[in-house]
Amino acid sequence: MKTIPYSRQEIDEEDIAAVTAVLRSDFLTQGPAIKTFELALTRYCGAAHAVAVSSCTAGLHLICLALGLGKGDRVWTSPISFVASANCAFYTGAQVDFVDIDPVTGNMDPDRLEEKLASAQRKKRLPKLIIPVHFSGSSCDMVRISALAQRYGIKVVEDAAHALGAFCKGVPVGACTHSDATLFSFHAIKSITTGEGGAVLVKDPTLAKKLMILRTHGITRDAECMESSSPEKWYYEMQELGYNYRLTDIQAALGISQMKKLDDFIHRRRTLAQRYRQLLAALPLTLPPTDEESAWHLYPVQLTEEASITRSALFDKLRTRGIGVNVHYIPVHLHPYYRRLGFKPGNFPMAEAFYARILSLPLFPSLSEAEQKSVVYRLEELL
Ligand SMILES: *Cc1c(COP(=O)(O)O)cnc(C)c1O
């Protein structure tokens, strides 16, 4: 029996040809494909600048550095996310805290944020940066989050690892209308892939320049940016302690090719999500809210009280029947590393209740209608 995975990449002959062409060219890395890929991203999202990096995690690290985070600073993010959204703060010496979620969307709850900000201000413990995460590809309420952040003078970075191709009130996620920066991931199972890869989108040219220098050891070769002038042609300057977080041209070529198919991918994901909504309507499941603007990275359902099976048993039984379900996410604060820092069960009750009932069903562009039917059939049988 062939297993239906919960997600998988979409690679066609065009992608393979694009990568092959780079392999036959002069540049495997630091060549022309990076700029072209960055342009494709800025055109799609409407942001002024895109900085391609080796992963979304690397991008999160760099944006934290570029925004000046360090020891003594605080970052707030969502507990329902991949660990990278929070870990990036620690890389800079900053501390992490979380804002509980809206149990319907799984996204950071602006009401909880408002309360927590008011209380933090009284205790003089305001964060320097907030990182909302667009869970499953559906945008957070960025209008409210950015209004609150502005009121307290806090920076906002969107973790849009799930949300390339999504919109927020008619504007593409990545335009940075309500944030200082937006992060994308091109890991194999995200909206588009470069194998591993990521990008930081920003409006501010100074911030973009800083990110570009930090991704390559803190080195600049641009005479205009140098601190000392030298007539020597070989001269370059290391101005900050940066990293090697570059994307390769091999990866960027795949990214350029994948970007051409992004709209088709999202359209297909949306169609499948609408079909799940119809096919699963009668089952004891809470379905994800309809969001016409979502990129549908995941299809997370929640088992309701009426279900006669536990989430754990349902997960195991689906897996043994060849249905590759998954759980997104174990709340970040409950991982041992975070517990050792003092977080514990009960800290973020909405996130913990969400985690107890959530299950991601298979969703990817090439999921066939027959495969989707067999997912639904197994769910009907077990529920
Ligand atoms: C995948 C993911 C990341 C990390 O992306 P990488 O490119 O693998 O580093 C960060 N945040 C979220 C929400 C993710 O899903």
Side-chain angles (χ1 to χ4, degrees):
M1 181 182 56
K2 201 168 154 281
T3 299
I4 303 169
Y6 89 89
S7 186
R8 62 158 294 145
Q9 72 274 20
E10 308 292 335
I11 300 291
D12 65 11
E13 288 305 318
E14 222 177 17
D15 294 323
I16 294 167
V19 171
T20 311
V22 173
L23 291 174
R24 294 182 202 285
S25 79
D26 292 337
F27 294 98
L28 298 185
T29 192
Q30 294 177 281
I34 298 293
K35 204 76 245 155
T36 310
F37 182 42
E38 289 172 340
L39 266 173
L41 290 167
T42 52
R43 285 216 188 94
Y44 191 91
C45 301
H49 308 277
V51 180
V53 283
S54 53
S55 69
C56 176
T57 306
L60 282 161
H61 182 188
L62 293 192
I63 192 66
C64 284
L65 289 175
L67 291 173
L69 262 99
K71 218 169 156 41
D73 293 325
R74 292 181 186 82
V75 175
W76 290 2
T77 185
S78 169
I80 294 296
S81 185
F82 184 57
V83 293
S85 318
N87 289 352
C88 59
F90 294 134
Y91 300 157
T92 71
Q95 285 173 7
V96 174
D97 200 357
F98 302 92
V99 180
D100 213 348
I101 59 155
D102 172 332
V104 176
T105 61
N107 280 334
M108 181 183 282
D109 186 336
D111 289 333
R112 296 288 89 73
L113 177 62
E114 188 163 10
E115 289 166 12
K116 199 173 168 103
L117 283 168
S119 141
Q121 189 179 41
R122 285 193 297 273
K123 296 179 200 149
K124 300 210 184 318
R125 292 172 66 89
L126 280 171
K128 186 165 182 169
L129 172 66
I130 301 175
I131 308 182
V133 181
H134 304 314
F135 177 72
S136 81
S138 183
S139 176
C140 296
D141 185 343
M142 290 310 298
V143 176
R144 270 197 72 197
I145 291 174
S146 99
L148 285 166
Q150 271 175 24
R151 191 194 296 169
Y152 291 92
I154 298 166
K155 305 272 185 207
V156 178
V157 166
E158 300 172 64
D159 181 342
H162 298 183
L164 175 61
F167 286 76
C168 176
K169 300 193 164 50
V171 179
V173 169
C176 303
T177 316
H178 304 291
S179 64
D180 296 278
T182 304
L183 272 295
F184 292 125
S185 169
F186 313 123
H187 176 264
I189 57 151
K190 303 290 164 75
S191 299
I192 65 158
T193 187
T194 61
E196 299 278 0
V200 192
L201 278 82
V202 293
K203 290 171 293 198
D204 176 10
T206 317
L207 201 51
K209 210 164 252 175
K210 218 171 205 179
L211 291 164
M212 293 213 181
I213 288 178
L214 284 171
R215 82 170 159 190
T216 183
H217 309 277
I219 286 173
T220 183
R221 291 174 185 276
D222 181 351
E224 278 178 31
C225 303
M226 290 188 189
E227 290 176 22
S228 53
S229 60
S230 166
E232 318 296 359
K233 295 275 187 298
W234 66 78
Y235 186 71
Y236 61 84
E237 270 181 0
M238 183 198 139
Q239 299 175 329
E240 311 218 22
L241 183 61
Y243 297 83
N244 181 350
Y245 282 169
R246 295 184 303 258
L247 195 72
T248 65
D249 275 47
I250 307 169
Q251 293 169 307
L254 181 53
I256 295 162
S257 179
Q258 288 262 302
M259 275 304 281
K260 295 178 189 154
K261 287 164 279 200
L262 175 58
D263 282 339
D264 290 341
F265 290 164
I266 302 295
H267 179 75
R268 180 67 188 153
R269 285 177 178 275
R270 203 163 283 159
T271 305
L272 288 164
Q274 280 162 359
R275 250 179 120 238
Y276 266 137
R277 173 155 281 278
Q278 289 164 6
L279 296 170
L280 300 173
L283 296 182
L285 297 172
T286 304
L287 304 179
T290 35
D291 174 3
E292 294 301 326
E293 299 192 299
S294 175
W296 292 106
H297 171 61
L298 300 173
Y299 197 82
V301 300
Q302 292 179 68
L303 234 60
T304 63
E305 307 278 355
E306 290 89 69
S308 54
I309 185 169
T310 65
R311 192 271 307 271
S312 168
L314 182 62
F315 181 99
D316 289 345
K317 291 198 156 126
L318 285 167
R319 281 276 183 106
T320 53
R321 286 163 176 73
I323 310 295
V325 284
N326 218 332
V327 171
H328 298 94
Y329 285 96
I330 300 162
V332 178
H333 69 284
L334 297 182
H335 283 287
Y337 182 84
Y338 283 82
R339 291 198 193 209
R340 285 197 285 273
L341 295 171
F343 291 103
K344 50 184 185 296
N347 284 158
F348 304 98
M350 292 299 174
E352 290 164 30
F354 189 80
Y355 166 58
R357 304 194 157 272
I358 206 82
L359 195 67
S360 298
L361 304 184
L363 183 65
F364 49 93
S366 62
L367 181 72
S368 71
E369 297 200 352
E371 286 172 322
Q372 190 180 28
K373 275 239 169 82
S374 78
V375 174
V376 173
Y377 168 76
R378 290 301 185 188
L379 279 166
E380 283 169 342
E381 178 190 53
L382 294 165
L383 288 166

